[in-house]
């Protein structure tokens, strides 16, 4: 274990070194190496990692360190067989770390929990599906079951899943969107009419200014760095707005460019770094809008050209006057206090925005995992509308999603709050009544399990137990279920935190050949920029016992529903094109689905706001004013505890994707061989009377009387604003109260948790 500065640029030879380490560690066989070069290719498969788009599935190999790690993890030669489970009790496996559980390899057989031995035992597929059907059909109400979806599920699997669940009779669809970009999905419809971004990769070629909020592309979307490199090299201004100063937004060496690699050179990315305090983005963006309005007022007084795009505002928006009144009434001292950014820097940032003729604003979970994340997303939309930076080439809103198909799953109907129009179309196409009341999201599902209102939990991918907040409470919730089912490729802790009955159902990965009736099948995904493309696996399946997600869902549906509704589960399972045929009947934008997706690069789904068509109640883009909330849990905690109260953000390490831990290093942040660290400003270390390298315990401060602690973390002095700390999840998820969610979105506030640090108590 070591803490030592990392002085190299992002990617480059360091990335290649760590790729080699992972390939050796996963014992990827030579025959599977070809899959590393088939990611995002016309005849290959979509990377199972992030949702960053591809340039029409370009034929040139596009290196991505974390994409290779994801493929290596799926292509590993290591196996978790029935013999493995026979040798380990669940209690023994629970003693292992999340990293150790990941390293055991691919699941090979369906397994059922045996309480007498505390072990998982093999079960025939037919018996597993009958077990699920028996438990679902004995429930008093379909709402006593919840159906989780990971962002790795394909469009076809997600569509079939929601069809099955709605035929069963519930809208209980907790999914990974609830924990990441839900504020985007709920916020943007109120301003521009649809909860999706308005840009494509083509816009990055024409943008002259990029504002990157709350995002760490080098770790979370490494291929994005290639686009930023090209933008920087042609002179675009790139600003990083993030509490942590991340290496990938400083310097980047592209493995695709031999000259940079051979000369050990790099490309500077960001020309300015702005570090708001945690939760300060809303005040910062509002301050930019206020400064822009003040400068425009000055321009009017002296007869200079206006800075606002009045043509856009007049023709395409409503509510501007009320928004402007709110900006003029806002107090600068409050904006500066809440943002944590000096006024001079705010003015400099606003000047950069004003000079930009074609501005793209991108954001990640640094904006969406806060109490006021919906107002923050809407305030950013307001700012962009002030200068008409939405719906023109080279400009627009760009939320960058996490998992590879998290956006596609939502498009396909994985939504606990479905619209009446969607349900009407489902009834028209399939001929049975749809459940109309809203279902449970992730947080509501956990609460319902604790209250005994949800008794069956089925997870289509993911690691629900570790991805969710308030970990001990979530564990109790899952353990209170009558049945827990996990459809997965590899072992994770959720499989060990089980209900009275439990099943593990192993599935094909996206890298693997999926053959039905002798015909290879392809599945489709939708990336962050609404491109839909098809994906074919190349590797031999890890086990002949594996079923595809589509097959598993269809067999569950057949066993549970019997002859109800006369849906074509067998046809769907035999030919995935049949699923796409029915998808296009439900969604107009998917017309000629099979024909269009067969073309290299697939097709782009229309995003109305990109075309300056506004699907709002007014028929126009809407300015939405918001005031700063002066009564928050953090303010109340700070009033009680003073400067010792710190605000914590959870974050990934570089050797991590969501809850999957590839290794124990985070080289860009200088952490090697360990994960239990706290990134903290040196002056806060001094204030606490401690020193870097000391070990501390962390306690969250909440108003429900529950003690939430995570023990044994090393202090690491870091470039982060005073009063703020960072730490990895899932290790710090126990500190996130279940009730601490984004207003109007329900997303856990994992980027703004009030905490106290204290010297570690020896264990």
């Amino acid at each position: 274990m070591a803490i030592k500065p990392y002085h190299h640029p992002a990617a480059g030879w360091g990335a290649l070194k760590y790729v080699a380490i992972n390939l050796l560690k996963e014992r990827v066989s030579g025959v599977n190496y070809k899959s590393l070069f088939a990611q995002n290719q016309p005849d290959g498969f979509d990377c199972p990692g992030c949702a960053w788009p591809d340039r029409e599935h370009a034929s040139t190999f596009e290196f991505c360190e974390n994409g290779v790690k994801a493929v290596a993890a799926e292509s590993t030669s290591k196996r978790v067989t029935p013999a493995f489970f026979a040798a380990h009790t669940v209690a023994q496996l629970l003693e292992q770390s999340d990293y150790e559980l990941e390293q055991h390899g691919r699941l090979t057989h369906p397994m059922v929990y045996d309480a007498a031995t505390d072990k998982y035992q093999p079960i025939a597929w037919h018996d597993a599906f009958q077990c699920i059907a028996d438990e679902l059909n004995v429930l008093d109400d379909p709402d006593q079951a919840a159906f989780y979806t990971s962002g790795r599920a394909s469009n076809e699997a997600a569509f079939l899943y929601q069809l099955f669940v709605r035929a069963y009779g519930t809208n209980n669809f907790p999914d990974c969107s609830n924990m990441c970009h839900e504020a985007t999905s709920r916020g943007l419809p109120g301003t521009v009419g649809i909860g999706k971004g308005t840009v494509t990769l083509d816009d990055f070629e024409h943008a002259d200014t990029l504002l990157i909020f709350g995002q760490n592309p080098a770790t979370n979307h490494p291929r994005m760095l290639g686009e930023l490199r090209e933008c920087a090299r042609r002179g675009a201004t790139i600003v990083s707005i993030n509490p942590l100063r991340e290496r990938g937004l400083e310097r980047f060496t592209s493995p695709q460019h031999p000259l940079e690699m051979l000369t050990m050179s790099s490309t500077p990315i960001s020309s300015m770094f702005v570090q708001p305090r945690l939760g300060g983005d809303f005040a910062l963006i509002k301050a930019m809008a206020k400064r822009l309005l003040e400068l425009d007022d000055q321009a009017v007084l002296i007869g200079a050209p206006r800075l606002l795009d009045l043509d856009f505002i007049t023709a395409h928006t409503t509510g501007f006057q009320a928004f402007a009144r709110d900006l003029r009434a806002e107090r600068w001292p409050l904006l500066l206090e809440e943002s944590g950014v000096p006024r001079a820097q705010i003015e400099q940032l606003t000047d950069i925005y004003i000079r930009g003729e074609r501005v793209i604003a991108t954001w990640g979970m640094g904006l969406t995992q806060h109490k006021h994340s919906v107002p923050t997303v809407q305030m950013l939309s307001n700012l962009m509308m002030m200068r008409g930076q939405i719906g023109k080439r080279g400009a627009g809103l760009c939320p960058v999603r996490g998992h590879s198909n998290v956006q596609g799953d939502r498009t396909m109907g994985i939504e606990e709050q479905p619209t009446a129009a969607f349900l009407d179309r489902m009834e028209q196409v399939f001929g049975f009544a749809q459940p109309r009341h809203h279902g449970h999201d992730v947080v509501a599902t956990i609460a319902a399990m604790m209250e005994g209102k949800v008794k069956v939990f089925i997870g289509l991918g993911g690691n629900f137990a570790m991805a969710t907040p308030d970990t001990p409470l979530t564990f109790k919730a899952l353990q209170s279920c009558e049945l827990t089912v996990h459809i997965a490729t590899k072992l994770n802790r959720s499989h060990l935190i089980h209900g009275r009955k439990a099943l593990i159902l192993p599935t094909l990965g996206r890298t693997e050949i999926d053959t039905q009736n002798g015909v290879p099948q392809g599945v489709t995904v939708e990336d962050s920029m609404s491109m839909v493309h098809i994906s074919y696996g190349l590797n031999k399946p890890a086990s002949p016992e594996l079923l595809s997600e589509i097959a598993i869902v269809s067999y569950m549906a057949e066993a549970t529903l019997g002859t109800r509704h006369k849906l074509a589960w067998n046809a769907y399972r035999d030919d995935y094109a049949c699923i796409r045929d029915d998808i296009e009947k439900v969604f107009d934008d998917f017309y000629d689905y099979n024909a269009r997706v067969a073309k290299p690069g697939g097709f782009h789904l229309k995003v109305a706001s990109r075309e300056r068509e506004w699907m709002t109640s007014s028929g126009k883009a809407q300015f939405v004013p918001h005031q700063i909330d002066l009564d928050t849990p953090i303010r109340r905690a700070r009033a009680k505890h003073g400067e010792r109260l710190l605000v914590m953000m959870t974050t990934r390490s570089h050797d991590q994707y969501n809850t999957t831990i590839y290794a124990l290093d985070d080289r860009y942040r200088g952490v090697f061989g360990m994960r239990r660290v706290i990134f903290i400003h040196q002056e806060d270390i001094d204030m606490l009377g401690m020193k870097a390298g000391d070990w501390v315990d962390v306690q969250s401060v909440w108003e429900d009387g529950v003690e939430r602690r995570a023990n044994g973390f090393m202090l690491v002095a870091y470039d982060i604003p005073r009063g703020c700390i960072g730490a990895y999840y899932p290790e710090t998820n126990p500190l996130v109260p279940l009730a601490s969610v984004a207003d109007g979105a329900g997303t856990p506030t994992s980027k703004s948790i009030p905490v106290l640090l204290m010297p570690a108590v020896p264990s």
Side-chain angles (χ1 to χ4, degrees), residues 16-55:
L16 295 181
K17 171 186 173 182
Y18 274 77
V19 162
I21 291 172
N22 273 269
L23 293 175
L24 291 171
K25 183 173 62 179
E26 294 289 357
R27 300 204 295 267
V28 176
S29 66
V31 70
N32 284 345
Y33 269 73
K34 63 181 181 181
S35 63
L36 301 176
F37 298 92
Q39 296 181 77
N40 311 308
Q41 302 304 304
D43 298 318
F45 62 91
D46 188 78
C47 177
C50 78
W52 186 254
D54 315 308
R55 289 204 167 277

Side-chain angles (χ1 to χ4, degrees), residues 419-430 432 434 436:
T419 65
F422 167 71
L423 296 176
D424 290 344
R425 180 62 73 88
M426 286 285 291
E427 289 187 359
Q428 177 186 337
V429 171
F430 294 106
F432 63 88
Q434 302 286 302
R436 293 279 168 169

Side-chain angles (χ1 to χ4, degrees), residues 74 76 79 106-108 508 512 539-544 546:
E74 197 168 280
T76 180
R79 299 288 182 263
R106 291 290 300 278
L107 296 161
T108 62
L508 293 171
E512 292 172 309
N539 294 341
K540 180 181 177 181
S543 164
L546 301 185

Side-chain angles (χ1 to χ4, degrees), residues 51 106 119 189 215 242 247 356 438 496 522 546 674 701 743 746 761:
R106 291 290 300 278
K119 294 180 180 180
Q215 203 179 344
N242 195 45
R247 175 56 47 84
H438 286 173
L496 312 176
L546 301 185
M674 60 191 304
V701 179
D743 297 340
V761 176

Side-chain angles (χ1 to χ4, degrees), residues 357-663:
E357 294 294 326
R358 297 173 301 282
V359 181
I360 292 176
T362 82
W363 67 95
M365 286 184 284
L367 250 58
T368 62
Q369 290 185 324
H370 299 277
K371 177 177 172 58
H372 301 112
S373 53
V374 171
T376 302
V377 169
Q378 292 187 333
M379 191 59 64
L380 181 56
S381 185
N382 291 336
L383 177 67
M384 294 288 279
M385 288 191 295
M386 291 175 78
R387 285 186 48 79
Q389 296 289 355
I390 299 176
K392 69 179 184 180
R393 195 176 197 186
L397 302 168
C398 183
V400 182
R401 312 277 177 165
H403 242 148
S404 58
N405 200 39
V406 61
Q407 182 162 303
D409 289 351
R410 181 55 58 89
T411 299
M412 290 294 104
I414 302 297
E415 164 68 273
E416 78 278 2
Q417 300 180 39
T419 65
F422 167 71
L423 296 176
D424 290 344
R425 180 62 73 88
M426 286 285 291
E427 289 187 359
Q428 177 186 337
V429 171
F430 294 106
F432 63 88
Q434 302 286 302
R436 293 279 168 169
H437 55 284
H438 286 173
H440 295 315
D441 63 7
V442 164
V443 168
T445 293
I446 297 169
M449 287 191 287
M450 286 296 296
E451 296 167 4
K453 295 179 180 178
V454 165
K455 299 180 179 181
V456 174
F457 176 89
I458 299 177
L460 182 60
N463 186 359
F464 188 85
M466 299 309 294
T468 46
D470 226 336
T471 308
L473 188 149
T474 297
F475 282 13
K476 291 179 182 178
L478 287 166
Q479 290 166 337
S480 72
C481 289
E482 289 298 309
L483 173 68
T484 52
V485 181
H486 293 282
I487 301 164
T489 58
K490 301 185 82 173
L491 185 66
N492 65 53
R493 195 164 302 278
S494 290
H495 309 154
L496 312 176
I497 308 297
H498 55 78
R500 186 177 64 86
K501 296 180 181 179
L503 293 165
I504 302 173
L505 305 182
T507 187
L508 293 171
R510 200 175 293 163
T511 63
E512 292 172 309
I513 299 168
D514 181 358
T515 301
Q516 304 294 332
N517 284 339
V519 179
Q521 301 292 318
V523 295
T524 59
V525 297
E526 177 189 349
D527 62 35
S528 277
M529 296 181 190
S530 303
M531 286 295 299
V532 178
H533 44 261
I534 199 162
S535 176
Y536 289 90
L538 296 176
N539 294 341
K540 180 181 177 181
S543 164
E545 288 289 318
L546 301 185
L547 295 181
S548 69
E549 289 182 334
I550 289 166
I552 292 172
V553 171
S554 66
Y555 281 125
M556 280 197 302
E558 281 184 327
T560 304
L561 301 175
T563 59
R564 277 181 279 172
H565 311 312
K566 294 182 172 59
L567 295 166
W569 304 113
N570 189 59
Y572 292 144
R573 187 167 57 245
D574 288 347
D575 185 358
Y576 300 172
C578 293
I579 308 173
R580 292 188 285 272
D581 286 339
D582 278 358
I583 289 173
E584 73 174 62
K585 294 175 185 175
V586 175
F587 303 105
D588 291 338
D589 289 344
F590 284 81
Y591 66 90
D592 294 335
Y593 194 172
N594 281 302
R596 289 198 293 159
V597 82
K599 298 177 180 177
F603 61 93
H604 185 258
L605 289 174
K606 178 180 177 180
V607 178
S609 49
R610 176 178 174 80
E611 309 298 327
R612 292 190 170 178
E613 299 173 10
W614 316 106
M615 299 170 61
T616 62
S617 58
S618 66
K620 291 189 173 185
Q622 300 175 153
F623 283 94
V624 182
H626 291 285
Q627 296 184 347
I628 293 175
D629 188 353
L630 299 179
D631 184 22
T632 66
I634 290 176
R635 277 179 166 266
R636 294 192 294 271
R638 186 170 287 123
K640 181 178 180 180
H641 295 283
E643 68 173 352
R644 296 184 71 85
L645 191 285
L646 302 170
V647 181
M648 181 193 76
M649 64 177 286
T650 69
T651 188
R652 298 172 180 167
S653 74
H654 187 65
D655 273 334
Q656 174 180 359
Y657 196 80
N658 291 345
T659 57
T660 301
I661 312 299
Y662 297 128

Side-chain angles (χ1 to χ4, degrees), residues 606-747:
K606 178 180 177 180
V607 178
S609 49
R610 176 178 174 80
E611 309 298 327
R612 292 190 170 178
E613 299 173 10
W614 316 106
M615 299 170 61
T616 62
S617 58
S618 66
K620 291 189 173 185
Q622 300 175 153
F623 283 94
V624 182
H626 291 285
Q627 296 184 347
I628 293 175
D629 188 353
L630 299 179
D631 184 22
T632 66
I634 290 176
R635 277 179 166 266
R636 294 192 294 271
R638 186 170 287 123
K640 181 178 180 180
H641 295 283
E643 68 173 352
R644 296 184 71 85
L645 191 285
L646 302 170
V647 181
M648 181 193 76
M649 64 177 286
T650 69
T651 188
R652 298 172 180 167
S653 74
H654 187 65
D655 273 334
Q656 174 180 359
Y657 196 80
N658 291 345
T659 57
T660 301
I661 312 299
Y662 297 128
L664 301 180
D665 294 345
D666 189 359
R667 67 179 187 276
Y668 294 157
R669 297 186 182 123
V671 178
F672 298 89
M674 60 191 304
R675 290 183 53 82
R676 298 188 79 83
V677 296
I678 296 289
F679 299 106
I680 181 171
H681 197 286
Q682 180 62 54
E683 292 181 17
D684 282 325
I685 297 177
D686 297 338
M687 177 270 296
L688 293 170
M690 299 180 182
K691 62 183 183 298
D694 283 353
W695 291 84
V696 298
D697 296 339
V698 191
Q699 179 177 326
S700 58
V701 179
W702 202 245
E703 298 164 326
D704 58 4
V706 176
E707 182 179 79
R708 296 177 176 86
R709 294 177 66 96
N711 296 333
F713 291 81
M714 179 189 286
L715 294 179
V716 176
Y718 207 77
D719 187 357
I720 189 172
R722 285 288 316 268
C724 301
I725 64 173
Y728 302 133
Y729 72 84
E731 288 84 353
T732 49
N733 281 358
L735 299 168
V736 183
L738 190 68
S740 184
V741 298
D743 297 340
T747 307

